[in-house]
Amino acid sequence: MKATKKILILSFILNFFILNAQELVSPNEKIKVELKTSKGKADKVYFKILYKNKETYTEVLPESQLGIVQKNESFDNLVFIGESKIIEIHDDYIMISGKREHCENFGNQKTFNFKNKNNQKLEIVFRAYNNGVAFQYVFPNSSEKKVNIIEELTTYVIQEGTSRWIQLFEPSYEAFYPQSETGVSSDKNNGNWGFPALYKVNENPIWVLISEAGITENHCATMLNNSKKQSEYKVTYPAARENFKQIGAVAKLPWSSPWHTFAIGSLSDITESNLVTDVSKPNELKDTNWIKPGAVSWIYWANNHGSKDYKKVVEYVDLAVEMKWPYVLIDWEWDVMANGGNLEDASNYAKSKGIKPLIWYNSGTSWLEPTPVDRLLTAEKRKKEFEWLNKIGIYGIKVDFFAGDQQDMMQYYIDILKDAAKYHLLVNFHGATVPRGWARTYPNLMTTEAVYGAEWYNNNAVLTDKAAVHNTTLPFTRNVVGSMDYTPVTFSDSQNPHITTYGHELALAVVFESGLQHFADRPSAYYDLPLAPKEFLKNFPASWDDTKLIDGYPGEKVVIARKKNDLWYIAGLNGKDTTQTLTLTFDFLSNGNYELQLITDGKDSKSLDSKMLKVKKGETIKIDCLPRGGFAGVLKAK
């Protein structure tokens, strides 16, 4: 009897300390999250993500550590103390700009409760959506005293041999997304990598895009770092700046972290994902009728300079009139405009032609040479400036040169968006952090740069050879998480040549989504286009009812369709230096007969061909593209 009793006690002890696997499954049962926790003792907590490929679950994220640290309290070794019931999530909302107007997603949410060695509580909230996973940390205790969250222990495992497309981190997010199987860092980034991060799950047709969303004034933004081990990417806070020594975030409790997001599924699931806005705060603006996406004529690219020449500005206003684009952007140096007029004269001329002017600002936080500088840094300065803009008839601002991803910069971005909304001003962030969901919360945010875009043809010759590969990677990486101000569709050359074809450049208007689509070339380049491509660009929409990926692979090709009212705009890019045949399948159409105006590469890189085709749902056509070529077109029901 004594021996039996000892065995029972030992069995009880072993069961008490055994590692448990808590799980959460998406409503469609395609995605499963598993947490490995320790019952009854402090231990590290891990999670992994699985995706149902056919009838079996495939591991898409191996066991990865969770944890977070306050300045005076660590939440690394945790005791699991319980979990909530499942809460059904139904995101259903309207976006003014983005890849689709009506966004809807379904998920299941569960909160896992822990305590650390000092009995301080931590909640980890997981959501398993039908097309991804999101989680955040929550400190539930209340406190009037502010705490400093200094580090995350969150570490994502991406094993060697996994194909990945991640950019070396730099504060403006203007870098490439090269394909790699190792994730080897370089001296340039000290192991730091920027969001979003795309990878393919080995030989499976499953893709994952990692990012973050839902950032508020209580957060800094983060990056990934694999300097300790190449296969382990740790969520990392930005380093202190010279004039901002704080590490991490400072806020009162209760506090919740930003959402860590994983879009998961086929490549079309990734490209069409709205997960970043799904988990972000709903629209906080009561009146949004004044917010109008649209095409913009842009002066800087062709001239490698700003807007100090009034007569040049007039040329771009006239371009907007001819192309029926609603906006003109007056870029830097407008404060020293001369040669026939000043900013107010330019604004009045634009308005007399029915064109809405937008103007550029230096944020005053980073690169201080281009003027005007330091007109937006405080609430008082913004009030004075925005009242003046209303008076002279300016409709929006482009704010450039932000200093980094620290908490003060997150606060600054949001302050600009809130104050601009009070004065009905559209906002475009440049030299800025990658989108993290603000376009849903503050829909006057129309677009963000955070991309190695066509502007770089002004700076060096790198983009000349890399553009085609880069352009066919961005739809699966950067442009997934938010509107992207690449400043596309340039047929002539700026300071450095580009060798993509005219068909490729025309296609960028559709392939790249941006709430303000800045067409960057000189007026003569658009005036000299043949009739079909010129008409294609006239009245071009910058917001979409829906988006569908037809075909693609990062760095090789992309074929995409976007719907606006009763029209479908389609486009394809060849990312290779050799000819390639792209496939356009019309499965996305409704039943009926359609007419396709198709514009393709011509006999050489600087010519275009156009033809009309009749198509139906389910049909497929093949389109031959030149090296670094492309095509574009418009579909309408007959």
Side-chain angles (χ1 to χ4, degrees), residues 140-153:
N141 293 335
S142 296
S143 173
E144 285 300 311
K145 184 179 179 181
K146 290 184 177 180
V147 297
N148 187 183
I149 299 92
I150 61 170
E151 182 183 12
E152 281 205 24
L153 304 174

Side-chain angles (χ1 to χ4, degrees), residues 107-246:
N108 288 326
Q109 175 178 301
K110 186 184 283 189
T111 300
F112 300 91
N113 303 303
F114 299 90
K115 64 180 180 180
N116 68 0
K117 62 182 180 180
N118 295 325
N119 291 319
Q120 296 299 305
K121 293 180 179 179
L122 173 67
E123 298 173 352
I124 307 178
V125 181
F126 268 91
R127 291 182 179 177
Y129 282 96
N130 285 340
N131 60 359
V133 169
F135 75 90
Q136 67 177 177
Y137 298 102
V138 177
F139 295 121
N141 293 335
S142 296
S143 173
E144 285 300 311
K145 184 179 179 181
K146 290 184 177 180
V147 297
N148 187 183
I149 299 92
I150 61 170
E151 182 183 12
E152 281 205 24
L153 304 174
T154 314
T155 304
Y156 307 137
V157 176
I158 304 177
Q159 297 172 336
E160 286 194 28
T162 302
S163 293
R164 70 205 72 191
W165 292 260
I166 314 177
Q167 64 171 308
L168 299 177
F169 177 79
E170 62 130 279
S172 68
Y173 291 82
E174 295 177 48
F176 295 103
Y177 293 81
Q179 181 177 355
S180 170
E181 278 70 46
T182 62
V184 176
S185 61
S186 71
D187 294 337
K188 292 182 180 179
N189 73 328
N190 298 315
N192 290 327
W193 304 87
F195 288 121
L198 175 72
Y199 66 91
K200 185 177 182 293
V201 182
N202 298 324
E203 301 304 316
N204 295 284
I206 308 171
W207 298 76
V208 181
L209 185 78
I210 306 174
S211 195
E212 67 175 348
I215 285 183
T216 73
E217 299 94 328
N218 293 322
H219 306 127
C220 62
T222 70
M223 67 191 87
L224 299 173
N225 183 283
N226 71 338
S227 59
K228 290 186 177 180
K229 189 174 182 181
Q230 285 184 17
S231 61
E232 296 182 358
Y233 292 80
K234 184 176 180 291
V235 175
T236 303
Y237 292 158
R241 292 196 320 275
E242 183 178 351
N243 60 345
F244 188 74
K245 300 299 184 182
Q246 176 191 301

Side-chain angles (χ1 to χ4, degrees), residues 232 238 254 301 452 593:
E232 296 182 358
W301 187 85
Y452 199 98
N593 297 316

